[in-house]
Amino acid sequence: MNDRRSDPELGAPSDPEVESGANPAGAVAVAAGAPTRDELRRRTDRDIVRLAWPAIISQVLASAVSLIDIAMLGRLGTDALAAVGYTSQFFQLAQAALLALVSAVAICVIAVGFPRFLLGALNADPAVIDRAVPYFRLTLGSTFLLAVSLTIESAYRSARNTTTPLLIAGVVTVVKLALNGLLIFGMFGFPELDLVGAGIATLGAQLVGVVLFVTCARRADRPESPAVRLRRADFAHVREFLPETARVSWPALGERLLLNSALLIYFWVLSDYGPVAIAAYTIGVRLLSFSWIPGVGISIAASTLVGQALGAGDARLAARAGWRSARLALLVSLALFVVFALLRRTLAEGFTDDADVIAALIPFMLLLGIAQPFLGVHFTLAGALRGAGDTVTPLWSATLGNWVFRVPLALLVAKVFHADVVWVWATVVFDHVTRAIWLTWAFRREHWARNLGARLGTGP
């Protein structure tokens, strides 16, 4: 749909014949047949919701596993939570390299081979290191399986098939939680393996996910997903696509690596405050990752709609899709702010019974609530820009937020002023505010529309 004459909100050019009063009958016909601005808005909103909800449900399932996992592990004590927190930092770094399987394998080999050195580099207590090592190896060892799953899942989403990943995510969720109950706590006569059981559960669930994705992708006779087929012959032409794949993916890979490198340093700073602060942070960021699920889903919808609109040469429709997506994400994020602000004690007590961890977690959750609206906006606009083919601007926003604000400010308040840990946590808000401002400014400039429009041979 081309809405350049029917969306004055976006500054679309008007029809000169209508403006001059010429051909009034034709003008009436055009006006009668054209959708109104409100109809265009509602149509865009419906498209956003239609594309976002399967991704949101899929993410809810994945993050629900993470939340229930941390709630189970929270009953094992502060050291167990701290061990999970340290392991998570390297797991996230490996995830950041999943765009390049070779990098993911290299990180996994190093992490599995030298866990004590890596945990010690983050200033982990010796008792926490002893408890973390088996869990660390099992969890990091599963990242290669996750890389394969995410690669095939991305292919399904690109083909607008969000149902298959959703169903597989449901199965993986059930497997992970069932194995958690059996192996962490020794239910139904199974051995009580503590953190080791959690690591085995993660590895087993990822293996099930890979098997299901590969099986579905090899079934070429499925009419609902003809674009996603995994055949042995496909690997014969891999080298032909490597240069273009690297060109498109390196900014996203760079963004993830820069982000997770900053988080490693941030975590190292946080280690000065001891296992209680680490345990509180581990729970808080799991809740944060759950809260950004709507932003992720809406971001996926924004990316798809913007890309399709620009593919049709309609920059106005792309702009509207981006802004309407950001508006929806902001509204959802404001509701999440209320949840974090008013229910922070209730949520904290749901994940641990350690009074010290609860006391440390409560102010952290309030700060996470304040960050919610900014997080929702920058998630969504980053997706919109990626849909427009601009993967560099989100990279710069992540660099600015983390390396200019979060990490330097955390080092300043912890190492120079020796301030309370709450000030280290407050730097998270600066990070998300910075990225929201940067990406809003970048999307409003519409350089992405002009550049792509010129390449398509269309006007802005």
Side-chain angles (χ1 to χ4, degrees):
M1 178 189 66
N2 190 321
D3 63 326
R4 297 182 182 207
R5 292 188 296 178
S6 56
D7 196 2
E9 181 184 36
L10 293 170
S14 56
D15 192 322
E17 290 190 340
V18 174
E19 276 194 345
S20 64
N23 194 17
V28 172
V30 171
T36 66
R37 183 167 59 184
D38 287 342
E39 289 172 340
L40 290 169
R41 287 173 172 175
R42 287 193 294 270
R43 188 179 302 174
T44 302
D45 289 345
R46 285 196 299 269
D47 286 341
I48 293 168
V49 172
R50 177 176 54 82
L51 290 171
W53 77 261
I56 290 174
I57 294 177
S58 180
Q59 290 289 320
V60 165
L61 290 174
S63 292
V65 172
S66 178
L67 283 180
I68 298 173
D69 188 52
I70 205 66
M72 290 179 172
L73 296 173
R75 309 306 167 188
L76 302 179
T78 300
D79 283 351
L81 280 174
V84 173
Y86 283 103
T87 301
S88 296
Q89 303 312 302
F90 291 98
F91 183 75
Q92 289 165 4
L93 181 63
Q95 278 187 302
L98 292 184
L99 294 171
L101 292 180
V102 174
S103 300
V105 171
I107 291 174
C108 289
V109 169
I110 294 171
V112 171
F114 306 97
R116 290 185 176 274
F117 171 77
L118 295 174
L119 292 167
L122 286 184
N123 202 25
D125 288 350
V128 173
I129 292 176
D130 290 338
R131 200 162 186 189
V133 166
Y135 176 77
F136 186 96
R137 282 178 165 150
L138 288 165
T139 302
L140 268 293
S142 72
T143 54
F144 179 73
L145 298 174
L146 179 60
V148 176
S149 293
L150 289 180
T151 301
I152 301 175
E153 179 181 356
S154 297
Y156 274 106
R157 295 195 188 283
S158 297
R160 304 190 71 170
N161 180 347
T162 54
T163 303
T164 299
L166 175 59
L167 294 174
I168 293 176
V171 174
V172 171
T173 297
V174 172
V175 171
K176 167 63 177 169
L177 295 181
L179 290 177
N180 262 8
L182 295 175
L183 299 178
I184 295 176
F185 304 110
M187 296 171 60
F188 303 110
F190 279 77
E192 187 175 339
L193 300 178
D194 202 87
L195 277 181
V196 174
I200 294 172
T202 298
L203 186 63
Q206 296 296 354
L207 180 60
V208 170
V210 167
V211 170
L212 290 175
F213 269 117
V214 171
T215 300
C216 290
R218 285 185 61 82
R219 293 182 62 182
D221 58 338
R222 294 176 66 90
E224 65 270 25
S225 57
V228 182
R229 297 177 181 176
L230 185 64
R231 298 167 297 188
R232 185 175 301 175
D234 296 332
F235 295 93
H237 304 286
V238 167
R239 290 185 180 180
E240 299 176 13
F241 300 100
L242 286 180
E244 181 65 14
T245 301
R247 184 190 67 80
V248 173
S249 65
W250 80 260
L253 174 60
E255 178 187 351
R256 297 293 298 170
L257 290 176
L258 282 171
L259 171 61
N260 284 280
S261 299
L263 291 179
L264 279 175
I265 297 175
Y266 182 82
F267 200 83
W268 171 73
V269 172
L270 199 61
S271 295
D272 288 349
Y273 293 89
V276 169
I278 293 296
Y281 179 80
T282 301
I283 295 173
V285 294
R286 293 290 179 98
L287 286 166
L288 178 65
S289 67
F290 190 83
S291 73
W292 70 45
I293 289 173
V296 171
I298 297 170
S299 172
I300 291 171
S303 180
T304 301
L305 292 173
V306 169
Q308 289 177 344
L310 290 177
D314 195 338
R316 302 299 184 190
L317 179 58
R320 187 193 314 114
W323 290 123
R324 299 297 291 180
S325 297
R327 175 182 175 274
L328 178 59
L330 179 61
L331 293 175
V332 174
S333 298
L334 288 172
L336 289 170
F337 160 70
V338 174
V339 172
F340 270 81
L342 298 183
L343 301 179
R344 56 189 186 277
R345 175 174 288 278
T346 302
L347 290 171
E349 291 174 346
F351 289 90
T352 180
D353 51 11
D354 188 307
D356 292 334
V357 176
I358 292 172
L361 183 55
I362 287 173
F364 183 36
M365 291 187 62
L366 178 60
L367 290 166
L368 294 180
I370 293 171
Q372 286 297 316
F374 306 99
L375 186 150
V377 169
H378 81 66
F379 257 61
T380 304
L381 291 180
L385 287 166
R386 292 188 186 101
D390 181 358
T391 54
V392 175
T393 300
L395 167 63
W396 285 116
S397 75
T399 303
L400 185 65
N402 283 279
W403 289 100
V404 176
F405 285 93
R406 183 192 287 208
V407 169
L409 288 176
L411 288 168
L412 182 67
V413 299
K415 302 294 186 180
V416 177
F417 296 113
H418 304 288
D420 188 83
V421 67
V422 71
W423 292 103
V424 179
W425 288 333
T427 62
V428 174
V429 179
F430 286 94
D431 171 17
H432 293 300
V433 169
T434 301
R435 286 199 261 177
I437 293 173
W438 180 274
L439 291 172
T440 300
W441 171 77
F443 195 74
R444 183 173 291 279
R445 292 181 72 197
E446 296 190 358
H447 280 183
W448 50 270
R450 286 195 289 272
N451 292 338
L452 190 57
R455 192 155 62 244
L456 290 169
T458 64

mmCIF file of all heavy atoms in Angstrom, residues 70 73-74 77-86 128 267 270-271 273-287 348 351-352 354 356-358 360-361 364 421 425:
data_model
loop_
_atom_site.group_PDB
_atom_site.id
_atom_site.type_symbol
_atom_site.label_atom_id
_atom_site.label_comp_id
_atom_site.label_asym_id
_atom_site.label_seq_id
_atom_site.Cartn_x
_atom_site.Cartn_y
_atom_site.Cartn_z
ATOM 1 N N ILE A 70 15.923 -19.477 37.824
ATOM 2 C CA ILE A 70 16.588 -18.689 38.860
ATOM 3 C C ILE A 70 15.817 -18.755 40.168
ATOM 4 O O ILE A 70 16.397 -18.676 41.260
ATOM 5 C CB ILE A 70 16.796 -17.231 38.396
ATOM 6 C CG1 ILE A 70 17.982 -16.592 39.135
ATOM 7 C CG2 ILE A 70 15.565 -16.394 38.576
ATOM 8 C CD1 ILE A 70 19.307 -17.184 38.818
ATOM 9 N N LEU A 73 16.968 -22.031 41.650
ATOM 10 C CA LEU A 73 18.343 -21.938 42.115
ATOM 11 C C LEU A 73 18.475 -20.988 43.296
ATOM 12 O O LEU A 73 19.397 -21.108 44.101
ATOM 13 C CB LEU A 73 19.251 -21.481 40.964
ATOM 14 C CG LEU A 73 19.344 -22.454 39.784
ATOM 15 C CD1 LEU A 73 20.119 -21.838 38.635
ATOM 16 C CD2 LEU A 73 20.003 -23.759 40.223
ATOM 17 N N GLY A 74 17.552 -20.016 43.395
ATOM 18 C CA GLY A 74 17.590 -19.094 44.521
ATOM 19 C C GLY A 74 17.407 -19.781 45.851
ATOM 20 O O GLY A 74 17.840 -19.269 46.892
ATOM 21 N N GLY A 77 20.792 -20.875 47.873
ATOM 22 C CA GLY A 77 21.648 -19.971 48.638
ATOM 23 C C GLY A 77 22.311 -18.906 47.791
ATOM 24 O O GLY A 77 22.297 -18.940 46.552
ATOM 25 N N THR A 78 22.933 -17.959 48.495
ATOM 26 C CA THR A 78 23.549 -16.803 47.837
ATOM 27 C C THR A 78 24.710 -17.208 46.945
ATOM 28 O O THR A 78 24.872 -16.683 45.835
ATOM 29 C CB THR A 78 24.036 -15.801 48.907
ATOM 30 O OG1 THR A 78 22.919 -15.382 49.688
ATOM 31 C CG2 THR A 78 24.671 -14.583 48.258
ATOM 32 N N ASP A 79 25.544 -18.136 47.400
ATOM 33 C CA ASP A 79 26.689 -18.553 46.586
ATOM 34 C C ASP A 79 26.238 -19.194 45.274
ATOM 35 O O ASP A 79 26.871 -19.000 44.229
ATOM 36 C CB ASP A 79 27.572 -19.540 47.368
ATOM 37 C CG ASP A 79 28.434 -18.836 48.407
ATOM 38 O OD1 ASP A 79 28.478 -17.592 48.406
ATOM 39 O OD2 ASP A 79 29.057 -19.540 49.236
ATOM 40 N N ALA A 80 25.141 -19.958 45.325
ATOM 41 C CA ALA A 80 24.631 -20.572 44.091
ATOM 42 C C ALA A 80 24.156 -19.504 43.116
ATOM 43 O O ALA A 80 24.439 -19.576 41.915
ATOM 44 C CB ALA A 80 23.491 -21.531 44.419
ATOM 45 N N LEU A 81 23.442 -18.501 43.634
ATOM 46 C CA LEU A 81 22.989 -17.413 42.768
ATOM 47 C C LEU A 81 24.172 -16.658 42.183
ATOM 48 O O LEU A 81 24.169 -16.277 41.007
ATOM 49 C CB LEU A 81 22.102 -16.453 43.557
ATOM 50 C CG LEU A 81 20.644 -16.887 43.766
ATOM 51 C CD1 LEU A 81 19.946 -15.909 44.697
ATOM 52 C CD2 LEU A 81 19.913 -16.979 42.437
ATOM 53 N N ALA A 82 25.186 -16.413 43.004
ATOM 54 C CA ALA A 82 26.380 -15.718 42.507
ATOM 55 C C ALA A 82 27.071 -16.552 41.434
ATOM 56 O O ALA A 82 27.534 -16.021 40.417
ATOM 57 C CB ALA A 82 27.337 -15.430 43.657
ATOM 58 N N ALA A 83 27.147 -17.865 41.633
ATOM 59 C CA ALA A 83 27.773 -18.746 40.637
ATOM 60 C C ALA A 83 27.032 -18.671 39.311
ATOM 61 O O ALA A 83 27.643 -18.627 38.235
ATOM 62 C CB ALA A 83 27.788 -20.189 41.151
ATOM 63 N N VAL A 84 25.697 -18.642 39.375
ATOM 64 C CA VAL A 84 24.893 -18.507 38.153
ATOM 65 C C VAL A 84 25.162 -17.161 37.489
ATOM 66 O O VAL A 84 25.267 -17.066 36.259
ATOM 67 C CB VAL A 84 23.395 -18.647 38.485
ATOM 68 C CG1 VAL A 84 22.539 -18.346 37.256
ATOM 69 C CG2 VAL A 84 23.095 -20.047 38.998
ATOM 70 N N GLY A 85 25.284 -16.103 38.304
ATOM 71 C CA GLY A 85 25.543 -14.772 37.752
ATOM 72 C C GLY A 85 26.857 -14.700 37.000
ATOM 73 O O GLY A 85 26.920 -14.151 35.889
ATOM 74 N N TYR A 86 27.922 -15.255 37.581
ATOM 75 C CA TYR A 86 29.221 -15.242 36.901
ATOM 76 C C TYR A 86 29.175 -16.054 35.610
ATOM 77 O O TYR A 86 29.707 -15.644 34.576
ATOM 78 C CB TYR A 86 30.307 -15.801 37.829
ATOM 79 C CG TYR A 86 30.763 -14.824 38.889
ATOM 80 C CD1 TYR A 86 30.332 -14.951 40.201
ATOM 81 C CD2 TYR A 86 31.604 -13.768 38.566
ATOM 82 C CE1 TYR A 86 30.731 -14.051 41.176
ATOM 83 C CE2 TYR A 86 32.011 -12.856 39.535
ATOM 84 C CZ TYR A 86 31.585 -13.009 40.842
ATOM 85 O OH TYR A 86 31.976 -12.107 41.797
ATOM 86 N N VAL A 128 32.656 -19.433 45.502
ATOM 87 C CA VAL A 128 31.729 -19.333 44.374
ATOM 88 C C VAL A 128 32.315 -20.028 43.146
ATOM 89 O O VAL A 128 31.600 -20.715 42.409
ATOM 90 C CB VAL A 128 31.420 -17.853 44.064
ATOM 91 C CG1 VAL A 128 30.590 -17.728 42.789
ATOM 92 C CG2 VAL A 128 30.680 -17.203 45.234
ATOM 93 N N PHE A 267 30.235 -6.105 35.399
ATOM 94 C CA PHE A 267 30.105 -7.181 36.382
ATOM 95 C C PHE A 267 31.348 -7.268 37.253
ATOM 96 O O PHE A 267 31.257 -7.538 38.455
ATOM 97 C CB PHE A 267 29.858 -8.495 35.653
ATOM 98 C CG PHE A 267 29.241 -9.561 36.507
ATOM 99 C CD1 PHE A 267 27.872 -9.585 36.709
ATOM 100 C CD2 PHE A 267 30.015 -10.539 37.100
ATOM 101 C CE1 PHE A 267 27.279 -10.568 37.498
ATOM 102 C CE2 PHE A 267 29.450 -11.520 37.880
ATOM 103 C CZ PHE A 267 28.072 -11.544 38.087
ATOM 104 N N LEU A 270 31.028 -4.690 39.823
ATOM 105 C CA LEU A 270 30.024 -5.099 40.794
ATOM 106 C C LEU A 270 30.557 -6.141 41.766
ATOM 107 O O LEU A 270 30.097 -6.225 42.923
ATOM 108 C CB LEU A 270 28.801 -5.633 40.059
ATOM 109 C CG LEU A 270 27.468 -5.707 40.797
ATOM 110 C CD1 LEU A 270 27.030 -4.321 41.251
ATOM 111 C CD2 LEU A 270 26.407 -6.327 39.900
ATOM 112 N N SER A 271 31.546 -6.922 41.335
ATOM 113 C CA SER A 271 32.107 -7.964 42.190
ATOM 114 C C SER A 271 32.742 -7.399 43.454
ATOM 115 O O SER A 271 32.858 -8.100 44.468
ATOM 116 C CB SER A 271 33.144 -8.785 41.417
ATOM 117 O OG SER A 271 32.553 -9.495 40.364
ATOM 118 N N TYR A 273 31.476 -5.551 45.472
ATOM 119 C CA TYR A 273 30.461 -5.422 46.512
ATOM 120 C C TYR A 273 30.042 -6.763 47.111
ATOM 121 O O TYR A 273 29.162 -6.803 47.975
ATOM 122 C CB TYR A 273 29.238 -4.693 45.954
ATOM 123 C CG TYR A 273 29.538 -3.247 45.612
ATOM 124 C CD1 TYR A 273 30.009 -2.891 44.348
ATOM 125 C CD2 TYR A 273 29.374 -2.237 46.555
ATOM 126 C CE1 TYR A 273 30.302 -1.567 44.036
ATOM 127 C CE2 TYR A 273 29.656 -0.909 46.249
ATOM 128 C CZ TYR A 273 30.120 -0.586 44.987
ATOM 129 O OH TYR A 273 30.414 0.724 44.672
ATOM 130 N N GLY A 274 30.645 -7.870 46.642
ATOM 131 C CA GLY A 274 30.427 -9.161 47.269
ATOM 132 C C GLY A 274 29.308 -9.997 46.672
ATOM 133 O O GLY A 274 28.552 -9.544 45.802
ATOM 134 N N PRO A 275 29.188 -11.259 47.158
ATOM 135 C CA PRO A 275 28.204 -12.204 46.604
ATOM 136 C C PRO A 275 26.755 -11.741 46.718
ATOM 137 O O PRO A 275 25.931 -12.087 45.869
ATOM 138 C CB PRO A 275 28.436 -13.476 47.433
ATOM 139 C CG PRO A 275 29.833 -13.360 47.933
ATOM 140 C CD PRO A 275 30.061 -11.892 48.168
ATOM 141 N N VAL A 276 26.410 -10.975 47.772
ATOM 142 C CA VAL A 276 25.022 -10.533 47.921
ATOM 143 C C VAL A 276 24.627 -9.618 46.761
ATOM 144 O O VAL A 276 23.549 -9.762 46.166
ATOM 145 C CB VAL A 276 24.809 -9.818 49.269
ATOM 146 C CG1 VAL A 276 23.448 -9.126 49.309
ATOM 147 C CG2 VAL A 276 24.912 -10.816 50.419
ATOM 148 N N ALA A 277 25.494 -8.668 46.410
ATOM 149 C CA ALA A 277 25.216 -7.772 45.289
ATOM 150 C C ALA A 277 25.148 -8.547 43.978
ATOM 151 O O ALA A 277 24.285 -8.271 43.129
ATOM 152 C CB ALA A 277 26.286 -6.681 45.196
ATOM 153 N N ILE A 278 26.034 -9.529 43.819
ATOM 154 C CA ILE A 278 26.025 -10.343 42.600
ATOM 155 C C ILE A 278 24.739 -11.149 42.513
ATOM 156 O O ILE A 278 24.116 -11.255 41.443
ATOM 157 C CB ILE A 278 27.247 -11.276 42.574
ATOM 158 C CG1 ILE A 278 28.540 -10.474 42.441
ATOM 159 C CG2 ILE A 278 27.129 -12.289 41.442
ATOM 160 C CD1 ILE A 278 28.666 -9.723 41.149
ATOM 161 N N ALA A 279 24.302 -11.731 43.634
ATOM 162 C CA ALA A 279 23.067 -12.510 43.647
ATOM 163 C C ALA A 279 21.863 -11.626 43.301
ATOM 164 O O ALA A 279 20.983 -12.016 42.522
ATOM 165 C CB ALA A 279 22.875 -13.166 45.012
ATOM 166 N N ALA A 280 21.812 -10.416 43.889
ATOM 167 C CA ALA A 280 20.719 -9.491 43.595
ATOM 168 C C ALA A 280 20.730 -9.092 42.123
ATOM 169 O O ALA A 280 19.672 -9.036 41.473
ATOM 170 C CB ALA A 280 20.830 -8.252 44.482
ATOM 171 N N TYR A 281 21.898 -8.828 41.589
ATOM 172 C CA TYR A 281 22.023 -8.452 40.173
ATOM 173 C C TYR A 281 21.569 -9.603 39.275
ATOM 174 O O TYR A 281 20.887 -9.390 38.265
ATOM 175 C CB TYR A 281 23.467 -8.073 39.867
ATOM 176 C CG TYR A 281 23.718 -7.687 38.432
ATOM 177 C CD1 TYR A 281 23.393 -6.421 37.961
ATOM 178 C CD2 TYR A 281 24.289 -8.591 37.536
ATOM 179 C CE1 TYR A 281 23.625 -6.065 36.642
ATOM 180 C CE2 TYR A 281 24.526 -8.248 36.224
ATOM 181 C CZ TYR A 281 24.197 -6.985 35.774
ATOM 182 O OH TYR A 281 24.423 -6.639 34.472
ATOM 183 N N THR A 282 21.936 -10.836 39.638
ATOM 184 C CA THR A 282 21.573 -12.002 38.837
ATOM 185 C C THR A 282 20.062 -12.142 38.732
ATOM 186 O O THR A 282 19.514 -12.405 37.647
ATOM 187 C CB THR A 282 22.177 -13.274 39.452
ATOM 188 O OG1 THR A 282 23.610 -13.140 39.508
ATOM 189 C CG2 THR A 282 21.820 -14.504 38.633
ATOM 190 N N ILE A 283 19.364 -11.959 39.848
ATOM 191 C CA ILE A 283 17.900 -12.025 39.820
ATOM 192 C C ILE A 283 17.329 -10.842 39.048
ATOM 193 O O ILE A 283 16.429 -10.984 38.212
ATOM 194 C CB ILE A 283 17.335 -12.043 41.254
ATOM 195 C CG1 ILE A 283 17.758 -13.329 41.971
ATOM 196 C CG2 ILE A 283 15.811 -11.922 41.230
ATOM 197 C CD1 ILE A 283 17.390 -13.355 43.436
ATOM 198 N N GLY A 284 17.870 -9.641 39.312
ATOM 199 C CA GLY A 284 17.343 -8.425 38.682
ATOM 200 C C GLY A 284 17.428 -8.452 37.177
ATOM 201 O O GLY A 284 16.467 -8.089 36.482
ATOM 202 N N VAL A 285 18.561 -8.912 36.650
ATOM 203 C CA VAL A 285 18.703 -8.901 35.191
ATOM 204 C C VAL A 285 17.858 -9.990 34.533
ATOM 205 O O VAL A 285 17.450 -9.846 33.377
ATOM 206 C CB VAL A 285 20.185 -9.029 34.755
ATOM 207 C CG1 VAL A 285 20.977 -7.817 35.180
ATOM 208 C CG2 VAL A 285 20.814 -10.302 35.285
ATOM 209 N N ARG A 286 17.572 -11.083 35.275
ATOM 210 C CA ARG A 286 16.642 -12.079 34.729
ATOM 211 C C ARG A 286 15.245 -11.471 34.600
ATOM 212 O O ARG A 286 14.538 -11.687 33.612
ATOM 213 C CB ARG A 286 16.595 -13.317 35.624
ATOM 214 C CG ARG A 286 17.880 -14.124 35.658
ATOM 215 C CD ARG A 286 18.165 -14.854 34.368
ATOM 216 N NE ARG A 286 19.404 -15.592 34.430
ATOM 217 C CZ ARG A 286 19.489 -16.894 34.700
ATOM 218 N NH1 ARG A 286 18.387 -17.598 34.915
ATOM 219 N NH2 ARG A 286 20.657 -17.497 34.729
ATOM 220 N N LEU A 287 14.831 -10.712 35.612
ATOM 221 C CA LEU A 287 13.542 -10.028 35.539
ATOM 222 C C LEU A 287 13.553 -8.967 34.442
ATOM 223 O O LEU A 287 12.557 -8.785 33.736
ATOM 224 C CB LEU A 287 13.210 -9.389 36.889
ATOM 225 C CG LEU A 287 12.781 -10.366 37.989
ATOM 226 C CD1 LEU A 287 12.805 -9.686 39.347
ATOM 227 C CD2 LEU A 287 11.394 -10.916 37.690
ATOM 228 N N ALA A 348 10.843 -9.669 44.481
ATOM 229 C CA ALA A 348 12.119 -10.085 45.071
ATOM 230 C C ALA A 348 11.932 -11.305 45.962
ATOM 231 O O ALA A 348 12.717 -12.268 45.910
ATOM 232 C CB ALA A 348 12.725 -8.932 45.864
ATOM 233 N N PHE A 351 11.814 -14.843 44.441
ATOM 234 C CA PHE A 351 13.004 -15.466 43.855
ATOM 235 C C PHE A 351 14.066 -15.860 44.875
ATOM 236 O O PHE A 351 14.989 -16.581 44.537
ATOM 237 C CB PHE A 351 13.615 -14.532 42.806
ATOM 238 C CG PHE A 351 12.790 -14.430 41.561
ATOM 239 C CD1 PHE A 351 11.802 -13.467 41.440
ATOM 240 C CD2 PHE A 351 12.966 -15.331 40.523
ATOM 241 C CE1 PHE A 351 11.024 -13.387 40.306
ATOM 242 C CE2 PHE A 351 12.191 -15.259 39.387
ATOM 243 C CZ PHE A 351 11.204 -14.290 39.270
ATOM 244 N N THR A 352 13.955 -15.367 46.085
ATOM 245 C CA THR A 352 14.921 -15.742 47.111
ATOM 246 C C THR A 352 14.315 -15.495 48.483
ATOM 247 O O THR A 352 13.446 -14.630 48.641
ATOM 248 C CB THR A 352 16.230 -14.947 46.971
ATOM 249 O OG1 THR A 352 17.150 -15.341 47.991
ATOM 250 C CG2 THR A 352 15.978 -13.448 47.086
ATOM 251 N N ASP A 354 16.565 -15.054 51.034
ATOM 252 C CA ASP A 354 17.683 -14.426 51.729
ATOM 253 C C ASP A 354 17.360 -12.946 51.959
ATOM 254 O O ASP A 354 17.213 -12.177 50.995
ATOM 255 C CB ASP A 354 18.954 -14.573 50.890
ATOM 256 C CG ASP A 354 20.202 -14.128 51.629
ATOM 257 O OD1 ASP A 354 20.214 -12.981 52.141
ATOM 258 O OD2 ASP A 354 21.176 -14.896 51.692
ATOM 259 N N ASP A 356 19.135 -10.462 53.027
ATOM 260 C CA ASP A 356 20.137 -9.507 52.526
ATOM 261 C C ASP A 356 20.003 -9.306 51.015
ATOM 262 O O ASP A 356 20.114 -8.181 50.517
ATOM 263 C CB ASP A 356 21.546 -9.997 52.866
ATOM 264 C CG ASP A 356 21.834 -9.959 54.351
ATOM 265 O OD1 ASP A 356 21.197 -9.145 55.050
ATOM 266 O OD2 ASP A 356 22.684 -10.739 54.813
ATOM 267 N N VAL A 357 19.773 -10.384 50.300
ATOM 268 C CA VAL A 357 19.612 -10.281 48.850
ATOM 269 C C VAL A 357 18.339 -9.507 48.518
ATOM 270 O O VAL A 357 18.323 -8.668 47.608
ATOM 271 C CB VAL A 357 19.587 -11.683 48.206
ATOM 272 C CG1 VAL A 357 19.310 -11.576 46.706
ATOM 273 C CG2 VAL A 357 20.913 -12.398 48.434
ATOM 274 N N ILE A 358 17.273 -9.756 49.258
ATOM 275 C CA ILE A 358 16.019 -9.031 49.027
ATOM 276 C C ILE A 358 16.224 -7.539 49.251
ATOM 277 O O ILE A 358 15.772 -6.698 48.451
ATOM 278 C CB ILE A 358 14.909 -9.574 49.947
ATOM 279 C CG1 ILE A 358 14.531 -10.995 49.529
ATOM 280 C CG2 ILE A 358 13.680 -8.663 49.910
ATOM 281 C CD1 ILE A 358 13.577 -11.687 50.475
ATOM 282 N N ALA A 360 18.928 -5.819 48.989
ATOM 283 C CA ALA A 360 19.750 -5.253 47.918
ATOM 284 C C ALA A 360 18.984 -5.182 46.602
ATOM 285 O O ALA A 360 19.211 -4.283 45.779
ATOM 286 C CB ALA A 360 21.014 -6.086 47.741
ATOM 287 N N LEU A 361 18.062 -6.111 46.406
ATOM 288 C CA LEU A 361 17.356 -6.206 45.127
ATOM 289 C C LEU A 361 16.271 -5.150 44.976
ATOM 290 O O LEU A 361 16.003 -4.681 43.857
ATOM 291 C CB LEU A 361 16.751 -7.605 45.001
ATOM 292 C CG LEU A 361 16.016 -7.974 43.712
ATOM 293 C CD1 LEU A 361 16.908 -7.763 42.495
ATOM 294 C CD2 LEU A 361 15.536 -9.418 43.775
ATOM 295 N N PHE A 364 17.332 -1.908 43.268
ATOM 296 C CA PHE A 364 17.747 -2.236 41.910
ATOM 297 C C PHE A 364 16.530 -2.372 41.003
ATOM 298 O O PHE A 364 16.512 -1.889 39.865
ATOM 299 C CB PHE A 364 18.571 -3.526 41.921
ATOM 300 C CG PHE A 364 19.123 -3.936 40.573
ATOM 301 C CD1 PHE A 364 19.557 -2.992 39.662
ATOM 302 C CD2 PHE A 364 19.204 -5.271 40.226
ATOM 303 C CE1 PHE A 364 20.069 -3.364 38.420
ATOM 304 C CE2 PHE A 364 19.718 -5.657 39.002
ATOM 305 C CZ PHE A 364 20.144 -4.703 38.095
ATOM 306 N N VAL A 421 26.369 0.464 46.338
ATOM 307 C CA VAL A 421 26.133 -0.294 45.115
ATOM 308 C C VAL A 421 24.949 0.248 44.311
ATOM 309 O O VAL A 421 24.887 0.081 43.082
ATOM 310 C CB VAL A 421 25.920 -1.790 45.443
ATOM 311 C CG1 VAL A 421 24.619 -1.999 46.219
ATOM 312 C CG2 VAL A 421 25.940 -2.640 44.190
ATOM 313 N N TRP A 425 24.248 0.512 40.127
ATOM 314 C CA TRP A 425 23.056 0.079 39.404
ATOM 315 C C TRP A 425 22.395 1.229 38.658
ATOM 316 O O TRP A 425 21.796 1.042 37.602
ATOM 317 C CB TRP A 425 22.061 -0.544 40.387
ATOM 318 C CG TRP A 425 22.498 -1.881 40.883
ATOM 319 C CD1 TRP A 425 23.304 -2.766 40.231
ATOM 320 C CD2 TRP A 425 22.173 -2.494 42.120
ATOM 321 N NE1 TRP A 425 23.511 -3.892 40.980
ATOM 322 C CE2 TRP A 425 22.810 -3.752 42.157
ATOM 323 C CE3 TRP A 425 21.406 -2.114 43.214
ATOM 324 C CZ2 TRP A 425 22.704 -4.637 43.223
ATOM 325 C CZ3 TRP A 425 21.288 -2.996 44.286
ATOM 326 C CH2 TRP A 425 21.924 -4.228 44.291
#
